[in-house]
Amino acid sequence: MSPELMIALIAGAALFGIGIYGALSQTNLVMILMGVELILAGAMVNLVAFWRYLHPDVAAGQMFVLIVMTVMAVEMAVGFGVAIARFRARGSVEMEEAVELKG
Amino acid sequence: MNTFIIVFLLLLGAYFVAVLEVWISKGRFQLAAPLFAAIAFLGRESFIPRKPDQLFYEVGPVLLLLSAVLAAAVIPLTPDLIMTDLATGALFINAALVYVLVALLMAGWGPDGAYAMIGGWRFLGQLIAYAMLIVMPITAVVMRAESLLSTQIVISQAGLWNIVYQPLGFILFFIASMALAFLPPFDLMIAKGELASGVEAEYSGMRLAIFRLGRLVLIITLASANVIFYLGGWQGPELFGYSLPPWAWSAIKILAVTMVMLFAGHYMPRIREAHLLSWCWMFGIPLALINIFIVGVLLLEFP
Amino acid sequence: MTVQAFFIGFFGLAAVWFGIVVFRTFSMMRSALALLFSQTALGAMFLSMQAEFLGVLQIMMMATEMSIMAIFMVMFMMDPGGLGEMEMTHQKRLSLIAGFVSFVGAVAVAVFVDWGPVASTFPDATQQTVELGLELLDRSMLIFETAGITILTAMIAATAVAIEPEKKSVTDEP
């Protein structure tokens, strides 16, 4: 149980917590995307820490990190496409006003 | 020790680029012109906009200089003269050069002025155009060298320089480096005729001097990157058993590439970033992919 | 405390601090650039854990992505300069509790689980890159190809959603 592994895991947990706070509390779509970016960043730190300190000879750990980076990029691209479409339809991307499908 | 030598050589190269720019714009070869201009900058009054975003306003030019020097950290001028021979050198050059964009965004947003801000966002449009054209030719070069170490990339060109092996990649990388250093004809964001000098509009005095110095160091760094990726670095042909020392070959090649970069765009009209985007994404990226394919086939055929 | 632990701690603290600045500041541009520097600190953490390729890749990709996020913020948000100091959150207490609970849960798992022996040797940077390349193109080729096609589909889909439909020109009518 090395101290470096502990520090990296705690940092990853902190980033994850901040990301969840941001994704749940913000009203604007772009800020929610930033919260999700922080969540994925926390996950990546954990992955690299586990790869480095527990199984450094298995390259699949680094592959997993590449896939998470790919997911970050793809989610941003699709999210911004949806934001543009929403902005053109309604004039704002505030989630508080997106109540058309409610109830 | 290597660090100081390379930083000193970078500043010397930046001085040379400044002399070349004066030669192009004024038609006279004045060796002392940059020195007088630097003294004039230090003496000029430094205007500050009324409500700038202080953090971004100050950090922008410094980040430009810093990213250019960082990108030069993995470039070998001779087999021993390299600041740090990272195992992922070719990728690190790219990573450091992306922060040029962040610096220009900060410099554009900081002064709280319309002209600077539009200049900064125009550079983001240019980045989307040239970013792939920098990464894909580097991929083809690394395929030949089978390593990301920059010294290994130079050594792999011992038999045949990459400019002969991958000419398509060289043309794309050259054009993309001109766009990265916002040289004419891609200088929409700082040109005097566009938006009253765009990003440079609100800077004066010491900050403008650092901005200009950062740009000059960036040009030299990109010329060095061109040389080590495509022109064989410090290697040169032997003549009657005599050959120039490695640092002389490096210097000649880097200065030659700089001169071509500066003179090539001088007579061309300025390219809007919308047109650059359509040219790069419709022609540039398919050509870069074809380049990778051709290099792969060549590598398999002639081991 | 080894040097590596110090660097990991320093960059981890920088990443967490920049992450907090993202949601505390009123200026949207500062928020986007704070997220950029948080991801850069993350890349530096990877570098100090000797995952060199991943660190450099993270630093490079995130700079581009967060700059694009910056321009989208300026396009879509009401007050990009932040001088109006608007409060733009909802269900603040619920999200604070959720964030705190997830943080405590993750730390509890990290501290109380026995992770097994810590590896003593690790491949150096050149060897790592070679092994990663072999892994990508040999064993995980299917995953890699699927990811590539997913990215291409996402690019085409996002562009198609964002294209404005052609309006009939007024001057065409007689």
Side-chain angles (χ1 to χ4, degrees), chain B residues 103-104 107-108 111 115-116 118-120 189-190 195 197-203 211:
Chain B
L104 274 192
Y115 294 152
I118 296 184
M189 44 287 321
I190 62 162
L195 297 179
S197 308
V199 178
E200 284 182 357
E202 311 279 353
Y203 282 109
F211 193 88

Side-chain angles (χ1 to χ4, degrees), chain B residues 234-247:
Chain B
W234 62 77
Q235 297 158 340
E238 285 211 350
L239 205 59
F240 310 120
Y242 289 114
S243 174
L244 290 174
W247 54 265

Side-chain angles (χ1 to χ4, degrees), chain C residues 58-76:
Chain C
Q58 170 84 353
I59 292 179
M60 176 173 86
M61 277 179 56
M62 289 306 144
T64 317
E65 281 185 32
M66 297 302 142
S67 311
I68 294 176
M69 192 176 274
I71 190 168
F72 272 95
M73 299 200 88
V74 170
M75 273 174 19
F76 291 142

Side-chain angles (χ1 to χ4, degrees), chain A residues 1 4 6 24-28 31 34 37 44-45 52-53 56 62-63 66 70 76 81 88 96, chain C residues 2 4 42 49-50 57-58 66 69 73 77 88-91 95 110 113 118-119 121 128 136 161-162:
Chain A
M1 196 66 73
E4 292 104 357
M6 277 302 114
L24 284 179
S25 78
Q26 298 291 324
T27 58
N28 202 302
M31 297 296 286
M34 292 169 103
E37 298 282 315
M44 274 204 288
V45 167
R52 162 74 177 89
Y53 291 112
Q62 294 201 338
M63 242 287 296
L66 280 182
T70 308
M76 254 186 61
R88 283 222 185 96
E96 288 280 305
Chain C
T2 62
Q4 191 181 38
L42 215 78
M49 286 198 255
Q50 281 133 345
L57 194 67
Q58 170 84 353
M66 297 302 142
M69 192 176 274
M73 299 200 88
M77 307 213 40
M88 296 188 21
T89 57
H90 64 153
Q91 56 189 33
S95 41
V113 170
V118 173
T121 62
Q128 271 176 38
L136 272 176
V161 164

Side-chain angles (χ1 to χ4, degrees), chain B residues 53 55-61 63 100-112 120 199 203, chain C residues 29 33 36-37:
Chain B
D53 197 339
L55 185 66
F56 291 163
Y57 188 63
E58 308 284 341
V59 172
L63 187 60
V100 169
L101 165 74
V102 180
L104 274 192
L105 281 186
M106 283 188 184
W109 184 264
D112 191 33
V199 178
Y203 282 109
Chain C
M29 189 71 176
L33 285 181
L36 197 161
F37 285 117

Side-chain angles (χ1 to χ4, degrees), chain A residues 5 8-9 41-56 61-62 64-66 69, chain C residues 8 42-43 45-52 54-55 58 128:
Chain A
L5 181 61
L9 291 181
M44 274 204 288
V45 167
N46 271 24
L47 277 171
V48 174
F50 286 145
W51 169 82
R52 162 74 177 89
Y53 291 112
L54 299 180
H55 303 282
Q62 294 201 338
F64 203 157
V65 178
L66 280 182
M69 275 191 214
Chain C
I8 296 177
L42 215 78
M45 264 175 88
F46 291 173
L47 283 175
S48 50
M49 286 198 255
Q50 281 133 345
E52 199 174 309
L54 288 177
Q58 170 84 353
Q128 271 176 38

Side-chain angles (χ1 to χ4, degrees), chain B residues 33 62 79 86 92 101 114 116 122 139-140 162 164 169 191 194 197 201 212 302:
Chain B
V62 174
L86 279 183
F92 185 79
L101 165 74
R122 279 179 175 174
T139 306
N162 268 340
V164 183
E194 291 281 336
S197 308
R212 294 254 169 94
F302 310 110

Side-chain angles (χ1 to χ4, degrees), chain B:
Chain B
M1 191 55 204
N2 271 347
T3 312
F4 292 122
I5 298 180
I6 291 190
V7 170
F8 174 69
L9 288 174
L10 273 180
L11 290 176
L12 211 58
Y15 194 87
F16 176 75
V17 176
V19 168
L20 273 182
E21 279 198 327
V22 170
W23 190 14
I24 289 179
S25 57
K26 295 219 177 63
R28 281 175 305 173
F29 190 76
Q30 290 175 317
L31 266 180
L35 196 57
F36 291 146
I39 298 179
F41 270 132
L42 290 178
R44 277 198 195 123
E45 180 187 359
S46 161
F47 295 102
I48 301 184
R50 210 176 339 140
K51 279 195 84 162
D53 197 339
Q54 201 68 29
L55 185 66
F56 291 163
Y57 188 63
E58 308 284 341
V59 172
V62 174
L63 187 60
L64 181 65
L65 184 59
L66 202 61
S67 73
V69 172
L70 265 181
V74 289
I75 295 185
L77 296 175
T78 71
D80 309 316
L81 192 61
I82 184 173
M83 266 202 241
T84 152
D85 202 4
L86 279 183
T88 53
L91 200 62
F92 185 79
I93 292 181
N94 208 8
L97 288 173
V98 173
Y99 281 86
V100 169
L101 165 74
V102 180
L104 274 192
L105 281 186
M106 283 188 184
W109 184 264
D112 191 33
Y115 294 152
M117 189 177 85
I118 296 184
W121 294 127
R122 279 179 175 174
F123 191 66
L124 177 62
Q126 249 193 12
L127 171 113
I128 305 210
Y130 72 67
M132 283 297 113
L133 290 189
I134 292 219
V135 174
M136 289 186 185
I138 293 186
T139 306
V141 164
V142 167
M143 274 166 68
R144 183 175 181 211
E146 295 186 17
S147 162
L148 283 168
L149 284 161
S150 27
T151 43
Q152 191 61 37
I153 292 178
V154 176
I155 291 176
S156 81
Q157 300 180 53
L160 190 65
W161 287 356
N162 268 340
I163 186 174
V164 183
Y165 202 86
Q166 317 170 11
L168 192 56
F170 173 69
I171 295 175
L172 293 172
F173 190 69
F174 190 75
I175 295 179
S177 5
M178 280 175 70
L180 205 169
F182 40 102
L183 280 167
F186 306 112
D187 64 342
L188 203 61
M189 44 287 321
I190 62 162
K192 291 252 182 355
E194 291 281 336
L195 297 179
S197 308
V199 178
E200 284 182 357
E202 311 279 353
Y203 282 109
S204 59
M206 194 61 200
R207 295 184 188 96
L208 186 58
I210 294 185
F211 193 88
R212 294 254 169 94
L213 180 65
R215 178 164 180 251
L216 296 172
V217 174
L218 182 64
I219 297 175
I220 280 283
T221 304
L222 280 170
S224 321
N226 263 315
V227 162
I228 64 165
F229 285 144
Y230 285 100
L231 286 172
W234 62 77
Q235 297 158 340
E238 285 211 350
L239 205 59
F240 310 120
Y242 289 114
S243 174
L244 290 174
W247 54 265
W249 277 120
S250 281
I252 293 174
K253 288 183 201 176
I254 294 178
L255 298 181
V257 170
T258 313
M259 283 176 67
V260 175
M261 264 190 192
L262 286 176
F263 280 97
H266 184 55
Y267 296 104
M268 293 177 55
R270 208 166 284 133
I271 297 185
R272 278 180 55 197
E273 84 278 4
H275 299 150
L276 186 64
L277 271 170
S278 49
W279 277 83
C280 283
W281 276 85
M282 285 200 290
F283 298 112
I285 289 187
L287 283 177
L289 290 170
I290 291 175
N291 176 44
I292 293 184
F293 181 72
I294 292 179
V295 168
V297 168
L298 281 177
L299 282 173
L300 285 177
E301 283 298 308
F302 310 110

